[in-house]
Amino acid sequence: MARTISYREAINEALHQEMERDESVLVMGEDNAGGAGSPGEDDAWGGVLGVTKGLYHRFPGRVLDTPISESAFVGAAIGAATRGMRPVAELMFIDFMGVCFDQIFNQAAKFRYMFGGKAETPVVIRTMYGAGLRAAAQHSQALYPLFTHIPGLKVVVPSSPYEAKGLMIQSIRDNDPVIFCEHKAMYDATGDVPEDSYTIPFGEANVVRDGEDVTIVAIGRMVSVAEEAARTLSSSGVEAEIIDPRTTSPLDTETILESVENTGRLVVVDEATPRCNLATDISALVAKEAFGSLRAPIEMVTAPHTPVPFSDALEDLYIPDAQRVTNAVKTVTEWKS
Amino acid sequence: MNDAIRKVVMPKWGLSMATGKITEWIAAEGDEIASGDELADIDTDKIAGSLESADEGVLRRIVANVGEDVPVGGTIALIAPADVPESDIDEAARLAREELDSGAVEEVAGPVTGTVEVEGRTLAYATLGDGEEHVVLVHGYGGDKNSWLFVQEPLSEHRTVHALDLPGHGESVKDVGDGSLDTLAGAVLGFLEAKGIARAHLVGHSLGGAVVTAAAAREPGRVASLTLVAPAGFGSEINAEYLRGFASASSRRELKPHLTALFADSSQVTRQLADDLMKYKRLDGVDKALNTLLGTLLDGDRPGIDAAPLLSTVEVPVAVVWGRADAVLPPANASGLGEVAFVDDAGHMVHMEQPGAVVSAVGRVAGDGG
């Protein structure tokens, strides 16, 4: 039965149900069971924001509280995956990925290819991304484009509790390495989620809203920003079609192109910084494959090319908001050649 | 308020509906309205449909405007005999308008959902109304209890109406066992037993039509009447391509073209409908359930069920309703079924496209319930 739960609860439920279903599923990460300075195992935090809470005692021996050494435990997770386990490693902030890049993009991402398709690496790396929690430049980046760039990785950016649960279960059952990017400002967002287990296939975009006038492709948390803009635009007679790719790799190019062929206008909303991000990637795709359909230049709404500011006022300006999306839509709908 | 004035309220179509928007008034002020006449087209965030009048009289006043968001239960129009003074109508309209503007519309009780255990299987249902007589609505292949949303409310005025999720569907268990007609009929009879309902009017659509027929044949004492809406198990024609396409579609893009086979009016195949069906199809176990049931429905490209011998043993009143534009189970299948109400502008989903035809068919065999 579908009931309303939070993004955090949706991910937690997915982990619970998959650990219940499949003994090879493990969880590992920092602060699963308290971490430094806490009373330890009896005070199982479930990670820094409590996403894995309840798993430690429910599945004894299958939730590993790791030292603060990302290169060690991510490497361990990848190694375990090559031997048939299905580890879900929590790498607290996506900003910390730098210390274990070799394990992720030069090892896990390459095994299937380099061993002639015979090797499988069913590892999931859960990680938090995104600005908005006053966590400053080293804990607020939207780095999913980095992983999207690497062949051999699958990259998931869920935009709601429903997507989060179905995509997490699919990530665990998938036989390739998956980078699962959770927006840290969305954990308390709520939505309808079925109690039963279900999967959402990778590479299938969700058309969040139908519209004839403009296509807005939005990634992760930006989907709700685009929806807010679409409501405002609708009251002034502009109907936006919103597409949530759900996974940036693989990317459902067909749904995006079909929509732009219908609307003739594209706005891409991406919280990542503007060079080589999803906005540029999707803009290039549409410019090449649907150029003849475009009735106005493509607009990109992204963060500026700077680190995420610590100042509250500047951070608020940094994150793309509904007003900027509305302005971008007006630019493309009112454009005259 | 003058007792002769009847309020037309925003209906509650489905569990999640909180508000609706009138997209068009079909009836105009001053029109003579009969019960069942279409009054307005209404759009919700889930579905669009036409509101049929439950009352008769003159449409004296339209209260809610086109495009306005109206909470479920909010008064949208007033119907009264022609002799009710205009001043009384003015007063009632003023109160209704005030209520809408203040947002203080009393919440309408929607269907109550619950589950029962039948032979170790959990079955979900939604019940509306509290009349003495019980009606049980049984959906078809790939459907669920919500497919009755336009039918359940009008039927519940004088009856207790349960919409059931068959095994493998909706929020019921996804294990369908052998998927046989007998197993599914057992689920319906088990539901009656579990709810302590001695005797009920059964209404079944498509596969559900064959299921309620089998239930009536197995336990005649529990069934007061049958209403069969485009039932499976009769005649020799079946759209096997649709059934296989529905079962195998793994994305909205694959599914949507198949869904057009369900309706006379293909604009009924909305993104929301396809999305909701994909949400169902993604649930663990649904794939297996649908494939098992496909084995019940099909024998090669021919129907796998013959319900005619079962129906011949049924002695209670039987009504049959069939959409003239049915492209899944063509209306030619109805020959040999005696009196059949063929419905214009309806495909396989008669109860969604022309719900009034199904409501009146139930009325013919189940009485007015009052």
Side-chain angles (χ1 to χ4, degrees):
Chain A
M1 185 170 294
R3 70 262 110 98
T4 301
I5 61 173
S6 70
Y7 191 81
R8 177 192 283 106
E9 289 164 333
I11 297 166
N12 183 279
E13 189 168 273
L15 292 167
H16 252 110
Q17 290 178 349
E18 285 306 282
M19 291 186 84
E20 199 80 62
R21 191 185 69 86
D22 181 351
E23 281 201 346
S24 66
V25 179
L26 309 176
V27 164
M28 48 209 293
E30 295 159 7
D31 291 349
N32 276 323
S38 80
E41 295 183 1
D42 292 336
D43 175 37
W45 286 10
V48 66
L49 291 183
V51 179
T52 59
K53 203 164 182 61
L55 298 177
Y56 188 86
H57 292 294
R58 175 71 190 75
F59 301 101
R62 292 168 60 196
V63 178
L64 310 176
D65 200 31
T66 65
I68 305 180
S69 175
E70 287 81 3
S71 45
F73 77 78
V74 169
I78 291 167
T82 64
R83 304 305 302 145
M85 306 305 286
R86 291 186 180 270
V88 181
E90 175 177 327
L91 200 148
M92 204 179 277
F93 292 96
I94 201 167
D95 315 70
F96 303 165
M97 285 282 189
V99 298
C100 48
F101 256 21
D102 181 67
Q103 286 83 339
I104 296 169
F105 78 66
N106 228 13
Q107 305 300 331
K110 302 293 191 283
F111 290 156
R112 181 189 286 280
Y113 180 79
M114 292 183 68
F115 296 114
K118 292 178 187 159
E120 290 180 339
T121 313
V123 67
V124 182
I125 301 175
R126 288 184 44 235
T127 186
M128 285 191 273
Y129 78 97
L133 288 197
R134 314 303 186 213
Q138 295 170 318
H139 303 81
S140 301
Q141 299 168 84
L143 295 180
Y144 44 82
L146 289 184
F147 303 95
T148 307
H149 186 70
I150 310 289
L153 297 179
K154 292 177 177 172
V155 184
V156 180
V157 195
S159 63
S160 75
Y162 175 80
E163 327 292 332
K165 179 174 172 182
L167 290 166
M168 174 53 81
I169 293 176
Q170 176 62 37
S171 299
I172 293 170
R173 296 182 190 176
D174 198 275
N175 287 333
D176 287 309
V178 175
I179 311 295
F180 192 92
C181 305
E182 303 164 15
H183 199 296
K184 63 176 81 66
M186 285 187 70
Y187 283 127
D188 294 321
T190 56
D192 285 350
V193 178
E195 272 175 46
D196 289 343
S197 297
Y198 60 94
T199 54
I200 298 176
F202 290 167
E204 189 187 317
N206 183 31
V207 181
V208 180
R209 183 183 195 281
D210 289 318
E212 294 290 321
D213 300 320
V214 59
T215 300
I216 305 177
V217 180
I219 313 293
R221 186 186 175 205
M222 292 298 111
V223 173
S224 56
V225 171
E227 286 184 278
E228 189 188 338
R231 283 192 289 273
T232 310
L233 288 161
S234 180
S235 61
S236 57
V238 174
E239 296 300 337
E241 184 144 294
I242 301 176
I243 296 178
D244 168 14
R246 298 202 278 221
T247 56
T248 62
S249 188
L251 181 68
D252 180 354
T253 56
E254 205 178 328
T255 298
I256 296 170
L257 291 170
E258 273 176 12
S259 175
V260 175
E261 278 157 13
N262 188 37
T263 63
R265 300 179 180 90
L266 175 66
V267 172
V268 192
V269 192
D270 184 357
E271 192 185 319
T273 49
R275 300 295 315 284
C276 300
N277 64 2
L278 265 296
T280 60
D281 185 61
I282 290 166
S283 297
L285 166 83
V286 170
K288 182 165 186 303
E289 304 292 336
F291 186 75
S293 307
L294 286 172
R295 288 190 267 167
I298 296 164
E299 280 289 310
M300 293 181 268
V301 181
T302 71
H305 193 65
T306 77
V308 181
F310 179 57
S311 147
D312 291 5
L314 289 179
E315 187 182 23
D316 291 345
L317 282 174
Y318 176 95
I319 306 166
D321 62 10
Q323 184 60 54
R324 286 181 58 202
V325 177
T326 307
N327 292 346
V329 168
K330 285 189 175 151
T331 302
V332 298
T333 52
E334 290 166 12
W335 192 80
K336 303 260 189 313
S337 57
Chain B
M1 193 173 95
N2 187 322
D3 286 346
I5 304 176
R6 314 291 303 178
K7 290 177 176 175
V8 180
V9 300
M10 179 60 70
K12 189 171 176 77
W13 287 333
L15 293 170
S16 63
M17 178 172 169
T19 66
K21 199 181 278 186
I22 293 152
T23 50
E24 191 187 348
W25 278 102
I26 298 167
E29 284 183 4
D31 284 1
E32 201 56 65
I33 303 293
S35 174
D37 282 0
E38 291 187 349
L39 295 174
D41 284 336
I42 292 175
D43 204 3
T44 77
D45 53 359
K46 284 271 188 198
I47 200 155
S50 299
L51 176 67
E52 296 179 356
S53 181
D55 294 298
E56 48 193 29
V58 175
L59 180 63
R60 297 290 298 268
R61 192 64 54 85
I62 286 173
V63 178
N65 304 313
V66 167
E68 181 182 357
D69 264 319
V70 179
V72 167
T75 302
I76 58 173
L78 301 171
I79 290 178
D83 59 5
V84 171
E86 198 61 19
S87 58
D88 287 9
I89 300 289
D90 284 344
E91 177 62 8
R94 190 182 62 76
L95 290 172
R97 192 63 247 175
E98 265 179 18
E99 192 187 57
L100 287 186
D101 292 339
S102 68
V105 173
E106 232 176 277
E107 206 173 304
V108 173
V112 176
T113 57
T115 58
V116 293
E117 293 290 321
V118 175
E119 291 168 14
R121 291 200 180 93
T122 304
L123 300 181
Y125 64 91
T127 299
L128 194 63
D130 52 10
E132 208 167 292
E133 304 232 335
H134 290 260
V135 177
V136 179
L137 308 172
V138 182
H139 62 79
Y141 180 67
D144 67 24
K145 57 186 178 303
N146 295 315
S147 63
W148 299 103
L149 77 179
F150 298 131
V151 168
Q152 193 173 13
E153 192 191 39
L155 284 179
S156 68
E157 202 174 339
H158 302 293
R159 311 176 185 91
T160 304
V161 185
H162 314 273
L164 185 64
D165 281 337
L166 285 172
H169 294 82
E171 289 164 349
S172 288
V173 67
K174 298 303 175 295
D175 165 27
V176 296
D178 63 1
S180 68
L181 199 57
D182 204 43
T183 299
L184 298 176
V188 174
L189 293 167
F191 169 77
L192 295 179
E193 178 73 32
K195 294 292 288 179
I197 301 166
R199 203 153 180 261
H201 302 279
L202 301 185
V203 182
H205 171 243
S206 196
L207 172 63
V211 170
V212 297
T213 304
R218 193 159 122 187
E219 288 193 36
R222 280 216 179 264
V223 181
S225 75
L226 285 182
T227 303
L228 308 178
V229 185
F234 300 94
S236 59
E237 294 183 41
I238 190 163
N239 186 341
E241 193 191 343
Y242 161 76
L243 291 170
R244 293 203 185 98
F246 180 87
S248 68
S250 65
S251 69
R252 186 182 55 226
R253 194 180 288 114
E254 282 172 38
L255 180 65
K256 220 173 157 182
H258 295 295
L259 298 180
T260 55
L262 290 171
F263 299 95
D265 172 8
S266 61
S267 71
Q268 293 268 349
V269 183
T270 58
R271 183 176 59 76
Q272 186 70 47
L273 177 76
D275 270 355
D276 286 349
L277 283 167
M278 279 316 302
K279 282 187 177 179
Y280 157 67
K281 283 175 61 73
R282 289 185 195 121
L283 295 171
D284 278 5
V286 167
D287 203 37
K288 188 177 171 206
L290 289 177
N291 279 305
T292 305
L293 295 174
L294 201 56
T296 302
L297 279 163
L298 289 179
D299 175 10
D301 284 344
R302 308 253 312 152
I305 298 174
D306 185 4
L310 296 170
L311 188 65
S312 68
T313 69
V314 171
E315 287 173 358
V316 295
V318 178
V320 183
V321 187
W322 222 299
R324 284 194 195 277
D326 194 327
V328 175
L329 295 169
N333 282 356
S335 64
L337 274 176
E339 200 183 321
V340 176
F342 291 103
V343 185
D344 289 328
D345 300 320
H348 191 54
M349 304 299 278
V350 189
H351 50 315
M352 293 188 79
E353 287 189 287
Q354 302 296 337
V358 175
V359 172
S360 47
V362 176
R364 282 199 297 279
V365 289
D368 63 7

